[in-house]
Structure formats: C-alpha cells, structure tokens
Amino acid sequence: MPGNEDKLVETNGKAKDKHCGSTNGNGTTNGTEPHSCSHCHAMQLEQKQEDAKMAKMQSAFETILECLGEDPSRDGLLKTPARAARAMTFFCNGYKKDLATLLNEAVFDVDCNEMVVVRDIEFSSLCEHHLVPFRGHVHIGYIPKGKVLGLSKFVRITEMFARRLQVQERLTRDIAEAITEALDPEGVAVVVRAEHMCMAMRGVEKTGSSTVTSFFTGKLKTDDKQKKLFFKQIPSS
C-alpha cells in the first residue's frame, strides 16, 4: 500500500499488519479467530484512554457553560464542548512530545565555532495562571562546539514547550536547556518577547505592553563581546 509501507504489507491481496499478522480489520486472523497481539492491544487501550479523556473534558466544558448561565443544548453551543476539548488538546500537545524524538538525529558534525542566530520564531502559548493566551517571538543564539542543529528543530523545540501550560520565564529557560542538552555548545542565548492576554483582556486591561525574558549560558552569559554580538542580531523592539 503506497505511503504506508511501514505498517502494512500485502498478503494474498489483503492488508496485513506487520506487528500482529492480522489480515483483516476486525481483530481476527483469517477472519475467524481473534488474535492477541500485544501491539494491537496497547493501541486499543491507548485509544480507549484518549476517548475517556475527551469525554471527561467535554463534560467539564459543558459544566462551565452551564455555570456561566448558558444553555449548552442551544444550537450555537451544541458542539462547543467537543470543539473546546479538541482545541485544548491541540493547545497542549507539547506534553506528548520529547526532545529525542523531536530531534530525529538532526544533529550534525560541522567545523563551526561562530555564533548561529535563529530569530523571530513566532509562538503561541497558554498562561498557566488563567488559561488565556500569550504570544510573541523567540530569538535563539548559540555558539557551536563542533555540532549544529537542523534549523527547523529550533522552531519545533519552541513549539514543544509553548504547547504546554506555561509562564514566559520558564518557557525561555526550557528552550535554552533543551538546546544545551542537544548540542552541548559553548553557550546559548534565548530572548522571548510576548504580549499576554491576561493583562489585555482582564485585570489591568492594558493592551500594547510586552514582556521580555532572557536566559544565557556559557560564553553567551560570561563573554560581554559575544552577548553584545547576539543582541545586535535580534530586534530591539
């Protein structure tokens, strides 16, 4: 089956799962006897757990709507609990990702010891205090020590940590520490500038203000010349 060679092979014209040998889609072998493939059982159990979580979240959102004085059964809100549950799952999908899988061996040996800067990485996250968004840009710099990282991975690292309940200070540190773990470079610098809806939509209700956080390691923390070079290469506002 084109595009799905890693999971299926053809057996007498029927799709066969490499993990369990099942030649049909109903959990049986040869269409008659049930099989007990541990891989399939684990997948089924995981799906049941995910379905149960989604049902629990939908019920919670329906309760919230009721507590706000709304009628969850009215036309405009009928599917809102399910939509909100799916949206929240997407907003927080970073919990299901890990650094090793994300990097996918995209660390390369390169004879380079000059600073690399990846700037203006757009991100959106949820404030863990009020569950409202904050969004902005991340600027990353590092001094290689014989190894470099595929450029798209800096975006993916940012997304992995941004797609969790966060505070900006921890997000900044998380990104820097992940790059340090991946490359063991001479130094890392991360600057995050973001606008927080918890300030714009509630509380003081002031728009236009932004918060800037930074985290430095190694030479980018101790060497003023390197630090100044980094700041020259990222936006000042």
Side-chain angles (χ1 to χ4, degrees), residues 76-92:
L77 294 176
L78 195 58
K79 296 183 180 179
T80 296
R83 293 190 187 105
R86 289 194 298 271
M88 187 61 71
T89 300
F90 174 75
F91 296 153
C92 297

Side-chain angles (χ1 to χ4, degrees), residues 1 5 40 122 147 151 153 185 215 225-226:
M1 185 177 293
E5 291 86 352
C40 292
E122 205 170 48
K147 294 182 182 295
L151 295 177
K153 301 305 180 183
F215 194 93
K225 182 179 177 180
Q226 294 287 355

Side-chain angles (χ1 to χ4, degrees), residues 98-131:
D98 67 88
L99 184 62
T101 303
L102 182 148
L103 293 179
N104 194 27
E105 300 181 352
V107 177
F108 307 104
D109 294 325
V110 176
D111 184 16
C112 174
N113 58 6
E114 297 295 329
M115 188 186 306
V116 178
V117 176
V118 183
R119 46 178 272 182
D120 300 313
I121 300 173
E122 205 170 48
F123 79 93
S124 297
S125 189
L126 287 180
C127 166
E128 67 179 29
H129 300 144
H130 303 99
L131 301 185

Side-chain angles (χ1 to χ4, degrees), residues 94-205:
Y95 289 116
K96 296 183 178 181
K97 298 177 182 178
D98 67 88
L99 184 62
T101 303
L102 182 148
L103 293 179
N104 194 27
E105 300 181 352
V107 177
F108 307 104
D109 294 325
V110 176
D111 184 16
C112 174
N113 58 6
E114 297 295 329
M115 188 186 306
V116 178
V117 176
V118 183
R119 46 178 272 182
D120 300 313
I121 300 173
E122 205 170 48
F123 79 93
S124 297
S125 189
L126 287 180
C127 166
E128 67 179 29
H129 300 144
H130 303 99
L131 301 185
V132 293
F134 67 98
R135 63 195 306 269
H137 293 85
V138 175
H139 313 293
I140 299 169
Y142 74 101
I143 302 173
K145 190 166 61 178
K147 294 182 182 295
V148 299
L149 186 61
L151 295 177
S152 69
K153 301 305 180 183
F154 294 99
V155 179
R156 295 188 184 279
I157 288 171
T158 299
E159 282 292 296
M160 177 176 71
F161 291 113
R163 294 298 183 186
R164 301 178 182 185
L165 301 182
Q166 276 287 9
V167 294
Q168 184 174 326
E169 296 87 344
R170 185 172 64 237
L171 173 62
T172 308
R173 185 194 66 209
D174 284 344
I175 295 169
E177 289 181 345
I179 295 168
T180 300
E181 180 182 340
L183 295 174
D184 187 28
E186 296 285 357
V188 175
V190 177
V191 171
V192 179
R193 183 185 300 272
E195 182 177 359
H196 292 248
M197 293 300 103
C198 61
M199 288 179 62
M201 296 177 64
R202 57 161 300 282
V204 294
E205 297 185 79

Side-chain angles (χ1 to χ4, degrees), residues 56-66 72 80-86 88:
K56 193 173 182 179
M57 289 175 68
Q58 289 179 38
S59 176
F61 279 115
E62 185 172 342
T63 299
I64 290 171
L65 290 173
E66 290 174 347
T80 296
R83 293 190 187 105
R86 289 194 298 271
M88 187 61 71

